[in-house]
Amino acid sequence: MVTTSHGIVETPVFMPVGTIGTVKGITQQDLIADIKAPIILGNTYHLYIRPGMEIMKKAGGLHKFMHWDKPILTDSGGFQVYSLSPTRKLTHEGVEFTSYLDGTKHFFTPERVVDIQGMIGSDIIMPLDECVSYPSEYIYVQKSIKLTHRWLKRTADHFRARGEDAPKQLLFGIVQGGTYSDLRVESAKAVVENDLDGNAIGGLSVGEPAEEMYEMTERVVAHLPEHKPRYLMGVGTPDNLLESVALGIDMFDCVMPTRNARNGWLFTSNGVINLMNSKWKEDFSALDPDGTSFVDTYYSKAYVRHLHHSKEMLGAQISSIHNLAFYVWLIKEARKHIIEGDFASWKKDMVKRVTNRL
Amino acid sequence: MVTTSHGIVETPVFMPVGTIGTVKGITQQDLIADIKAPIILGNTYHLYIRPGMEIMKKAGGLHKFMHWDKPILTDSGGFQVYSLSPTRKLTHEGVEFTSYLDGTKHFFTPERVVDIQGMIGSDIIMPLDECVSYPSEYIYVQKSIKLTHRWLKRTADHFRARGEDAPKQLLFGIVQGGTYSDLRVESAKAVVENDLDGNAIGGLSVGEPAEEMYEMTERVVAHLPEHKPRYLMGVGTPDNLLESVALGIDMFDCVMPTRNARNGWLFTSNGVINLMNSKWKEDFSALDPDGTSFVDTYYSKAYVRHLHHSKEMLGAQISSIHNLAFYVWLIKEARKHIIEGDFASWKKDMVKRVTNRL
């Protein structure tokens, strides 16, 4: 459970990614009424570039700007600085990067990233960190987490020194350390020392094998306090979610359900469907007879396949609604089975089902 | 009023264009519940190319394929054959064209176009005609309408000779004649002779000045029976619709509300808004305070502008929903004022308002 200014979020929870003030292809109304998303994620980097903080401030924050009254978590923008900027320069002070829009130079420091997220007004904010790519040399990662930890300290100090008029926000820490168990443990301990509102695991699901991801997650979770939310950033497939819940993870975000939807991939409780496959061409059965979304029994596989083939927007829309509704449903089911006490057996069966290729 | 197998359509009516089995960017649910579209249009040419008639037949027709239980009108595909095919060859028999998808050659005859629309199962079908471009030589148009009239006769004969198991459909005729009043009148008379279920005016709104379009419409309408629906194909802007209703037109279709929506143009009862204009950048007022759609008071101009600027799908979706809801509302208002007897004065005021540039 996470208690925010915009309500309580029950965990485990999946957070749809609303990159630039919009979950791609989905109205806020459908997110609430059909998908039943309890919380969404916004990308600080994208929002900082466009619409920019001038408009964000005048709008009164992201909630008002996009008309979303439930909780929002924003990332720190760090990941996008590393992955999207044509050039970037990392110093002890912070990171300088170039806008992909107009080539202007910008500088993110741990303190500035707190302030930017203050203007966005999200409910949960994340600290600036360094995300190392996979694979990275041990020596590099060892140095990198020291920087990340120093930045986290600065982030926490700045966050706590904010005045009374600062928005009511939660601050999480981020554990890094690549795929090195000892560095992950070292990082977990250093992050936890800051006694923040929640703890996240970053830098996974960046290309390493799933087994390595689970191993790192397990090692880190052992050092994160149980009474605070544990958030595995950017993960993953339905079975990744279930396995990670089993390891003690409470929060997830991932672009996969919407990105794959735009390419005609559906995740269902009976397995994965690639609508571009010709086997669905004349399959007029419901998109997902067991699905919970209004699109699932209304539209047929053959119809939605036709939309994707014709590159019609509606194909991406229907598939995105379906996938997000499925992700949100799946993780709520996990919660139900945790409460009922039969999570382990349910998970074992469900992992088999969701990894099935239809 | 038009009575079809899928219900009665009150006129005047605006028909959203559902090109290839989808009104671009809009779910069937929103079309029904929010936009309240009483009838939509499908493009025979597009549906013939993709998904193709094999799938259309197996699906049990377009209504079932796209899950739309209200009336559908299909055009003949003629217009697209002329405008989209890389090559085409017009003969007395019909028109040969090349698929833009795979380069295969296809042949449309008046009879074949009736049969194809039989497989689609639309409620109102249109005959194959020749659409001349603007401007065209008098001599060419004079010859062209003779072909169109011969084809219409063949269409009607074939339509009436269909067996008992043919779907219950209405067949309209199409008046052509370019921008030549005498040819338009000649065509109207020839078309009406076939005593079909309704009569359409084609080949307008193809580049000629609005005044010429109104003049042609007025000349033709005078020769079309009042007790049968009169359909002005492919028209137009909100004021085009209102002026044409004044001239006696009952039915309209146009891609403008959705196409312009995708470029950030909104039609409202207070005028036209180009969201790409920087004046809306910090305008956090409702998209259309007087609008009838669920998007109108939920989203702000600045937010939807941001979506368009960021090339986010949701911008096109919200704007398309708004524009179609506005078109459908506008034409229903026209009906209300016709019934109340104050259409002329209402129209005069409304034309001023909808042509205002905000």
Side-chain angles (χ1 to χ4, degrees):
Chain A
M1 198 177 86
V2 194
T3 305
T4 78
S5 316
H6 288 86
I8 287 169
V9 178
E10 290 180 336
T11 56
V13 67
F14 178 77
M15 305 181 282
V17 179
T19 314
I20 192 162
T22 161
V23 176
K24 285 187 192 298
I26 300 188
T27 64
Q28 276 71 311
Q29 286 94 339
D30 281 345
L31 265 181
I32 293 168
D34 186 62
I35 294 167
K36 303 190 195 332
I39 173 171
I40 60 170
L41 187 139
N43 289 119
T44 294
Y45 174 83
H46 287 295
L47 292 166
Y48 171 82
I49 298 276
R50 194 156 55 183
M53 288 306 113
E54 198 62 36
I55 287 179
M56 196 51 75
K57 273 189 288 183
K58 285 180 179 160
L62 182 56
H63 287 89
K64 284 189 184 159
F65 184 58
M66 68 182 290
H67 197 160
W68 174 260
D69 299 328
K70 289 168 181 286
I72 298 175
L73 179 149
T74 40
D75 62 9
S76 68
F79 182 77
Q80 280 79 22
V81 166
Y82 307 121
S83 59
L84 293 182
S85 289
T87 68
R88 61 180 172 90
K89 213 169 81 188
L90 198 67
T91 66
H92 283 288
E93 186 51 28
V95 56
E96 187 190 76
F97 64 94
T98 315
S99 162
Y100 65 86
L101 263 194
D102 56 12
T104 49
K105 281 204 179 347
H106 300 267
F107 197 64
F108 272 3
T109 62
E111 293 81 6
R112 177 118 178 85
V113 159
V114 169
D115 293 341
I116 292 170
Q117 291 179 89
M119 294 177 215
I120 293 173
S122 41
D123 299 273
I124 303 173
I125 72 172
M126 302 300 290
L128 189 67
D129 59 353
E130 189 191 0
C131 305
V132 299
S133 49
Y134 175 83
S136 282
E137 297 278 339
Y138 185 89
I139 295 290
Y140 185 86
V141 181
Q142 195 176 29
K143 275 178 66 178
S144 167
I145 58 170
K146 290 199 195 320
L147 179 72
T148 286
H149 300 158
R150 276 197 306 272
W151 281 3
L152 182 59
K153 179 76 173 56
R154 281 168 56 187
T155 301
D157 288 347
H158 186 71
F159 179 76
R160 285 169 175 145
R162 298 195 303 180
E164 280 292 306
D165 55 340
K168 300 269 168 287
Q169 298 178 303
L170 305 177
L171 170 65
F172 282 22
I174 304 178
V175 174
Q176 291 286 349
T179 46
Y180 302 105
S181 298
D182 59 329
L183 298 182
R184 282 281 171 186
V185 170
E186 183 186 332
S187 182
K189 287 177 177 171
V191 167
V192 167
E193 260 176 27
N194 291 278
D195 191 23
L196 300 170
D197 301 303
N199 296 291
I201 307 176
L204 289 180
S205 199
V206 292
E208 79 284 1
E211 282 318 312
E212 223 162 340
M213 176 176 79
Y214 295 140
E215 196 197 320
M216 293 303 121
T217 301
E218 192 171 9
R219 294 299 293 266
V220 170
V221 165
H223 295 273
L224 302 181
E226 248 187 82
H227 63 287
K228 290 185 179 183
R230 295 176 287 206
Y231 164 27
L232 183 54
M233 302 180 80
V235 173
T237 59
D239 54 305
N240 288 162
L241 265 61
L242 296 179
E243 298 293 5
S244 304
V245 166
L247 298 175
I249 296 295
D250 304 298
M251 301 171 69
F252 300 92
D253 79 283
C254 193
V255 295
M256 191 176 273
T258 39
R259 180 176 292 165
N260 287 26
R262 294 196 296 279
N263 296 320
W265 281 76
L266 300 178
F267 299 102
T268 81
S269 56
N270 296 306
V272 180
I273 292 175
N274 177 1
L275 284 174
M276 301 310 270
N277 196 310
S278 64
K279 72 187 283 189
W280 308 110
K281 205 169 167 179
E282 297 180 1
D283 188 326
F284 301 107
S285 68
L287 196 63
D288 180 6
D290 301 322
T292 60
S293 164
F294 73 90
V295 300
D296 287 326
T297 49
Y298 197 95
Y299 299 105
S300 72
K301 297 181 184 76
Y303 176 65
V304 182
R305 178 184 195 276
H306 160 69
L307 296 177
H308 281 291
H309 256 262
S310 308
K311 296 186 174 47
E312 281 286 342
M313 284 170 69
L314 190 58
Q317 293 170 237
I318 291 173
S319 303
S320 296
I321 289 175
H322 163 81
N323 278 352
L324 282 182
F326 173 69
Y327 264 65
V328 170
W329 170 85
L330 183 68
I331 211 85
K332 282 183 185 167
E333 280 292 296
R335 177 182 166 81
K336 210 177 79 186
H337 288 282
I338 291 168
I339 292 168
E340 287 171 0
D342 65 347
F343 176 76
S345 62
W346 172 81
K347 188 214 77 175
K348 199 177 157 190
D349 171 57
M350 196 44 108
V351 164
K352 247 185 243 156
R353 288 167 59 184
V354 297
T355 49
N356 187 25
R357 281 295 290 271
L358 293 171
Chain B
M1 197 177 85
V2 194
T3 305
T4 78
S5 316
H6 287 86
I8 287 170
V9 178
E10 290 179 337
T11 55
V13 67
F14 178 77
M15 305 182 282
V17 179
T19 315
I20 193 160
T22 160
V23 176
K24 283 184 194 303
I26 300 187
T27 64
Q28 277 70 312
Q29 286 93 339
D30 281 344
L31 266 181
I32 294 167
D34 187 64
I35 294 167
K36 302 188 191 342
I39 173 171
I40 60 169
L41 187 139
N43 288 120
T44 294
Y45 174 83
H46 287 295
L47 292 165
Y48 171 83
I49 298 275
R50 193 155 55 182
M53 289 305 113
E54 198 62 38
I55 287 180
M56 197 51 75
K57 273 189 288 184
K58 285 180 178 161
L62 182 57
H63 286 90
K64 284 188 185 159
F65 183 58
M66 69 181 290
H67 196 160
W68 175 259
D69 300 328
K70 289 167 181 284
I72 298 174
L73 179 149
T74 39
D75 61 11
S76 69
F79 182 77
Q80 281 77 21
V81 166
Y82 307 121
S83 58
L84 293 183
S85 290
T87 67
R88 61 180 174 89
K89 213 169 82 189
L90 198 69
T91 67
H92 284 288
E93 187 49 30
V95 57
E96 187 190 75
F97 63 95
T98 314
S99 163
Y100 64 85
L101 263 195
D102 56 11
T104 49
K105 281 203 180 344
H106 301 267
F107 198 63
F108 273 2
T109 63
E111 294 82 4
R112 176 116 180 86
V113 160
V114 168
D115 292 342
I116 291 171
Q117 291 179 89
M119 294 176 217
I120 293 174
S122 42
D123 300 90
I124 304 173
I125 72 172
M126 302 299 293
L128 189 66
D129 58 353
E130 189 191 1
C131 305
V132 299
S133 48
Y134 174 82
S136 281
E137 297 277 339
Y138 185 90
I139 294 291
Y140 185 85
V141 180
Q142 194 174 30
K143 276 178 65 179
S144 167
I145 59 170
K146 289 199 196 318
L147 179 72
T148 286
H149 300 158
R150 278 197 306 272
W151 281 3
L152 182 59
K153 179 76 173 56
R154 281 168 54 189
T155 300
D157 287 348
H158 186 71
F159 179 77
R160 285 168 175 145
R162 297 195 304 181
E164 280 291 308
D165 55 342
K168 300 270 166 288
Q169 298 177 303
L170 305 178
L171 171 65
F172 282 23
I174 303 178
V175 175
Q176 291 287 352
T179 45
Y180 302 105
S181 298
D182 60 327
L183 298 182
R184 282 281 171 185
V185 170
E186 184 187 328
S187 182
K189 287 177 176 170
V191 166
V192 166
E193 260 177 25
N194 292 279
D195 192 24
L196 299 170
D197 300 302
N199 297 290
I201 307 176
L204 289 180
S205 199
V206 292
E208 79 284 1
E211 282 318 311
E212 223 164 339
M213 175 176 80
Y214 295 140
E215 196 197 321
M216 292 303 121
T217 301
E218 191 170 13
R219 294 299 293 267
V220 170
V221 165
H223 296 272
L224 302 181
E226 247 187 85
H227 63 287
K228 290 184 179 182
R230 295 176 289 205
Y231 164 27
L232 183 55
M233 302 178 81
V235 172
T237 58
D239 54 303
N240 287 162
L241 264 63
L242 296 179
E243 298 294 4
S244 304
V245 167
L247 298 174
I249 295 296
D250 303 299
M251 300 170 71
F252 300 92
D253 79 283
C254 193
V255 294
M256 192 175 274
T258 39
R259 179 176 293 166
N260 287 25
R262 293 196 297 280
N263 296 319
W265 282 76
L266 300 178
F267 298 103
T268 81
S269 56
N270 295 308
V272 180
I273 292 175
N274 177 2
L275 284 174
M276 301 312 269
N277 196 310
S278 63
K279 72 187 283 190
W280 308 111
K281 206 168 167 178
E282 298 181 0
D283 188 326
F284 301 107
S285 67
L287 196 64
D288 180 6
D290 301 322
T292 60
S293 164
F294 74 89
V295 299
D296 287 326
T297 48
Y298 197 94
Y299 300 104
S300 72
K301 297 182 185 77
Y303 176 66
V304 182
R305 179 184 194 275
H306 160 70
L307 297 176
H308 281 291
H309 256 260
S310 307
K311 297 186 175 44
E312 282 288 341
M313 286 169 67
L314 190 58
Q317 293 170 237
I318 291 173
S319 303
S320 296
I321 289 175
H322 163 81
N323 277 352
L324 283 181
F326 173 68
Y327 264 65
V328 170
W329 170 85
L330 183 69
I331 212 85
K332 283 183 183 164
E333 280 292 296
R335 177 183 164 82
K336 209 178 79 183
H337 288 282
I338 291 167
I339 292 168
E340 287 171 358
D342 64 348
F343 176 76
S345 63
W346 172 81
K347 188 213 75 174
K348 200 177 157 192
D349 171 56
M350 196 45 108
V351 164
K352 247 184 246 159
R353 287 168 58 184
V354 298
T355 49
N356 188 25
R357 280 295 290 272
L358 294 172

